[in-house]
Amino acid sequence: MSRKSFYDLRFGVAPGGARKDAHYLRGTLDEVKADLAAELADGGNLYLLCWYGADLALDVYQYGRRTRSIDLHPYISIDVEGYPRITFTGPGEPVGHDFGSDEEQNVDDGSLSDLFFRGAVEQVTTVTVDWAAVDVPALRGEPARPGDLVVMDERMAGDAAADEAREQAMPEAEMRYGYTDFEA
């Protein structure tokens, strides 16, 4: 177990009708970008983002301690042929298409959310992440590498007043470098 620095790309929904709690622990931003591109190429995951309000964030861990959490929703745009561009203001807040409207639900050949769920529009969908606009801090110290078991201290650095009380409720965890889905 080591206190290396790493990124944690988190993509998930709270337990209910759908379940996902995917984590990609990576030592480089290029790996994170590739992982996110693969996740967003899957129509089922677009369904989770647009209809289910999935969380999508990049957490930055310096020496095993979370120092920053970046909501990635505002940096994503989804273009589906024949539909207006979809952007997000946050989790569960798509802009450009009302996934909860009666008009969306009463479409004969399937609503856009249904088409995402079935993977029926993947070939005519382009997802863009504006990485240039995302202020991602560089990792300090030694970055995590494949095979590493790293410390994940969820307490945000700089929150000294709350650290002592939360230490009992939120102890450090260990996690293996790479991909893990706790709901799979």
Side-chain angles (χ1 to χ4, degrees):
M1 176 172 75
S2 65
R3 289 196 162 273
K4 293 184 178 180
S5 297
F6 57 92
Y7 300 109
D8 177 14
L9 175 63
R10 291 185 294 111
F11 185 25
V13 294
R19 290 178 180 246
K20 184 175 184 102
D21 187 12
H23 294 260
Y24 291 87
L25 269 61
R26 301 297 188 196
T28 70
L29 192 53
D30 286 340
E31 291 173 298
V32 169
K33 290 176 182 180
D35 292 332
L36 183 57
E39 285 283 335
L40 297 179
D42 181 300
N45 289 330
L46 297 179
Y47 167 80
L48 294 176
L49 273 178
C50 295
W51 174 252
Y52 234 87
D55 289 325
L56 180 61
L58 179 62
D59 292 339
V60 181
Y61 287 79
Q62 305 288 8
Y63 306 105
R65 183 123 188 218
R66 188 167 54 133
T67 59
R68 185 137 181 239
S69 185
I70 303 165
D71 177 15
L72 294 176
H73 288 88
Y75 306 102
I76 295 174
S77 62
I78 302 171
D79 292 294
V80 181
E81 192 175 289
Y83 293 89
R85 172 175 278 177
I86 301 164
T87 58
F88 299 85
T89 56
E93 300 172 359
V95 176
H97 188 81
D98 184 357
F99 287 90
S101 72
D102 289 338
E103 186 177 304
E104 160 74 2
Q105 300 305 312
N106 295 321
V107 178
D108 290 336
D109 59 351
S111 64
L112 182 55
S113 57
D114 289 341
L115 295 172
F116 279 150
F117 181 76
R118 294 190 316 239
V121 291
E122 289 174 355
Q123 298 302 317
V124 294
T125 301
T126 303
V127 180
T128 306
V129 180
D130 185 3
W131 284 107
V134 184
D135 182 21
V136 181
L139 296 177
R140 298 188 302 254
E142 185 178 355
R145 297 285 177 231
D148 285 346
L149 182 63
V150 297
V151 170
M152 293 182 76
D153 188 341
E154 294 293 317
R155 296 169 295 156
M156 289 292 283
D159 195 1
D163 275 356
E164 188 175 327
R166 288 193 297 170
E167 190 166 333
Q168 299 300 322
M170 195 182 304
E172 294 177 351
E174 298 173 354
M175 201 160 154
R176 180 82 47 205
Y177 185 94
Y179 170 77
T180 303
D181 187 343
F182 291 106
E183 292 292 341

